[in-house]
Structures are given as C-alpha cells and as structure tokens.
Amino acid sequence: MSKESEKQRWQRNFADLLQELRVAQTGVQILFAFLLTMPFSNAFTRTTDFQRDVYIVALLAAAAAAAMIISPVAFHRALFRQGRKPELVRFAHRMASGGLFFMLVAMVSAVLLVTDFVLPRPVAFVLSAATGIWFLTFWAILPFSRRNWGEDDIDDEDDDPQTLSGD
C-alpha cells in the first residue's frame, strides 16, 4: 500500500475528527435538550437556590460544549476551498477538546442537580464526584496512559499531538 500524501493525511485527519464530533454532538444535544425543558416541569418550582445555580452551570456548560463541538463546521464553511486544511484540523482539535471539557462540566453538574434533588446533599456530592472521576478515567486517564503502550500503529502517526496542536 502506498504512503498517503500530506494533503491526504490532513483530509483523513479532518474526516476522523468530524466522526468523533458527531458522537459528541449527539450527547451534548440530548443533555442540552433535557436541560432546556427542566424549568417547564412542575417539580422545578421545588428546587433550592443551590439547585438552580447548579442548573445554570449545567445549562451554560452544555451550551458552551455545543458551540465548541459544532464550531468546526462553521470554520470549515469560512475556509472552504482555501487550501487551509491543516489550520482547520488544528482548530477542530482544539474545539473538540474544549467541547469535551464543557461536556464533562455539564454532565457532572446535571448529575449533581438530579442527585441533590432526590438524595441528601452529601450523597449527591459523592455521586457527582464519582461521576466526574468516571468520565475523566475514560476520557483522559486511560487514553493518555495508553499513548506509551506497545508499538505505534501506522494509522496513529497522524495523531501526534504536536502535529495536531501546531507546535
């Protein structure tokens, strides 16, 4: 099999990023829709000031995640056919990372909101912290610890963080 050109590699990197963003976007949209409907439920009137503050954090974090995860599409439209795929891939990588951060904040905040509503607050804090650790384990700890295991696969050459971050 012939080695891909740099242009082909950037195109593949962008296609890979878009596939990842499609998965993340679905999760963000479902959470955001849930949060947008909450104030219109009868039970929302029984929330405490703390729960309303947590709700606002979750809502704004979900909105920020949605904006960052969708932003590579707008960036692509602005740069369409300008031959700036490397810049687009670097931008999309940063936005995906930022979007995942805000998605983590939104998820943990949503768990805190719901658990604080139905359980004693100390239990809600423990469960929310466990949720945050669970997400961080699968989104950061395991992936980054895996980076140094075994031999590099040829398909992973394009995943070099220096290439993606532009450093």
Side-chain angles (χ1 to χ4, degrees):
M1 184 158 75
S2 65
K3 190 152 174 87
E4 66 186 352
S5 69
E6 187 171 343
K7 183 177 180 178
Q8 290 169 325
R9 183 176 54 124
W10 285 113
Q11 184 61 38
R12 184 175 49 79
N13 285 345
F14 186 61
D16 289 348
L17 267 167
L18 286 180
Q19 286 299 96
E20 294 169 9
L21 292 173
R22 283 184 183 108
V23 171
Q25 180 184 6
T26 301
V28 167
Q29 287 175 326
I30 291 168
L31 177 60
F32 196 39
F34 165 73
L35 291 168
L36 286 173
T37 62
M38 281 187 76
F40 302 104
S41 75
N42 291 336
F44 197 78
T45 59
R46 296 192 325 248
T47 57
T48 66
D49 287 340
F50 172 76
Q51 291 164 345
R52 283 189 291 278
D53 291 344
V54 171
Y55 168 78
I56 293 298
V57 169
L59 181 69
L60 294 177
M68 292 184 87
I69 287 171
I70 296 169
S71 69
V73 174
F75 203 83
H76 181 260
R77 287 293 89 208
L79 298 182
F80 188 66
R81 294 188 179 234
Q82 291 188 2
R84 295 167 63 185
K85 192 70 72 174
E87 182 181 353
L88 176 59
V89 170
R90 288 183 195 104
F91 174 82
H93 169 69
R94 289 184 191 109
M95 293 301 103
S97 298
L100 286 174
F101 168 77
F102 281 112
M103 191 171 173
L104 171 68
V105 172
M107 293 284 212
V108 173
S109 297
V111 168
L112 178 58
L113 173 62
V114 172
T115 55
D116 190 65
F117 189 77
V118 298
L119 299 169
R121 186 159 295 159
V123 175
F125 281 137
V126 168
L127 292 175
S128 299
T131 301
I133 291 167
W134 186 255
F135 273 90
L136 286 172
T137 297
F138 289 100
W139 288 7
I141 296 167
L142 289 176
F144 284 105
S145 69
R146 170 65 177 94
R147 291 171 62 128
N148 296 325
W149 292 0
E151 295 182 31
D152 288 340
D153 187 6
I154 193 151
D155 288 339
D156 289 340
E157 287 178 359
D158 63 300
D159 292 339
D160 181 357
Q162 290 178 340
T163 302
L164 291 175
S165 68
D167 295 336

